[in-house]
Amino acid sequence: MEINMDNYFQRRQSLFEWRSNTSLVNKVIMAFFMACITGIMAQVIIPLPWTPVPVTAQTFAVLMAGVVLGRRWGGISQIMYIAIGLLGVPWYAGLTGGYETLLGATGGYFLGFILTAFVMGYVTDKYTQSRNFRPMLGLTLIVNFALIYIPGLLGLGLWMYLTQGTFPTFLTLISMGLLPFIIGDLVKIGGVAALTKAITPK
């Protein structure tokens, strides 16, 4: 069966243009849908006994939010995810919700989700070359480990100080909030780069 590559490329271009030029109502719906995807993927978890931060699949959705929706609506989708969870909808990791989660050990990572979706969308929209596999792989590596983990580790350290009365050492902090997640993140980062190459126009 012969695949019409010209039609495939045209569909990618048309879809990319449609999501940028569609109505406000459609953009809100798409942002909410991406928030739902983030919530669903947050339930794919591997709890770790030595840290309150679980391994989850939700960062894949966070990274893709900006690629799929652009900087503004990608960021808004993650604001929706956080805000709706604050209202008590149990779609944070482990079917949790409410402000207690946001003020807990993982609160800093939530801020990173918004920053990540915004930056991924900004670069993907502005720089066509970034949509290829290698540039996207490099971008996603930087964004993932800088914009998610820096606020995440700061939030984790603050939570430990407030609950235990002392700041953790650097080694303790990264062993609880960074090192256990590197392998899984590399898999997700590779998937984001591959999917971005497949669905975005060049």
Side-chain angles (χ1 to χ4, degrees):
M1 181 179 178
E2 185 178 352
I3 299 175
N4 188 332
M5 295 304 296
D6 289 338
N7 186 50
Y8 166 64
F9 294 138
Q10 290 171 2
R11 286 181 179 275
R12 290 195 310 187
Q13 182 67 38
S14 297
L15 182 61
F16 205 72
E17 292 175 351
W18 178 84
R19 66 89 153 148
S20 299
N21 301 323
T22 190
S23 68
L24 177 62
V25 171
N26 283 338
K27 289 177 179 178
V28 171
I29 292 172
M30 288 191 296
F32 176 71
F33 180 75
M34 184 57 71
C36 293
I37 295 296
T38 306
I40 291 170
M41 298 195 75
Q43 308 318 313
V44 182
I45 63 173
I46 302 174
L48 302 174
W50 66 89
T51 174
V53 183
V55 176
T56 74
Q58 67 182 328
T59 50
F60 181 86
V62 173
L63 291 163
M64 286 303 303
V67 174
V68 174
L69 301 180
R71 62 176 183 176
R72 177 180 299 176
W73 291 98
I76 289 174
S77 74
Q78 296 310 300
I79 293 173
M80 285 183 175
Y81 170 64
I82 295 168
I84 294 172
L86 280 174
L87 295 176
V89 175
W91 64 359
Y92 296 158
L95 293 175
T96 59
Y99 71 90
E100 296 90 350
T101 303
L102 198 62
L103 296 177
T106 58
Y109 296 94
F110 287 96
L111 174 61
F113 292 171
I114 300 172
L115 297 174
T116 294
F118 180 87
V119 172
M120 289 292 292
Y122 175 82
V123 176
T124 303
D125 282 356
K126 187 173 180 63
Y127 301 102
T128 304
Q129 187 62 29
S130 70
R131 303 168 196 166
N132 290 305
F133 181 81
R134 288 186 179 178
M136 180 55 62
L137 186 67
L139 170 66
T140 310
L141 278 167
I142 294 171
V143 169
N144 182 80
F145 288 109
L147 297 186
I148 293 180
Y149 282 100
I150 290 177
L153 291 172
L154 290 173
L156 177 60
L158 178 60
W159 175 81
M160 292 178 70
Y161 173 75
L162 294 174
T163 56
Q164 300 177 12
T166 181
F167 281 108
T169 65
F170 178 74
L171 181 59
T172 298
L173 194 59
I174 63 171
S175 67
M176 294 178 66
L178 172 61
L179 295 180
F181 313 102
I182 291 178
I183 294 177
D185 279 3
L186 291 177
V187 173
K188 287 178 279 187
I189 286 167
V192 169
L195 184 57
T196 298
K197 177 176 174 58
I199 67 174
T200 56
K202 310 302 185 289

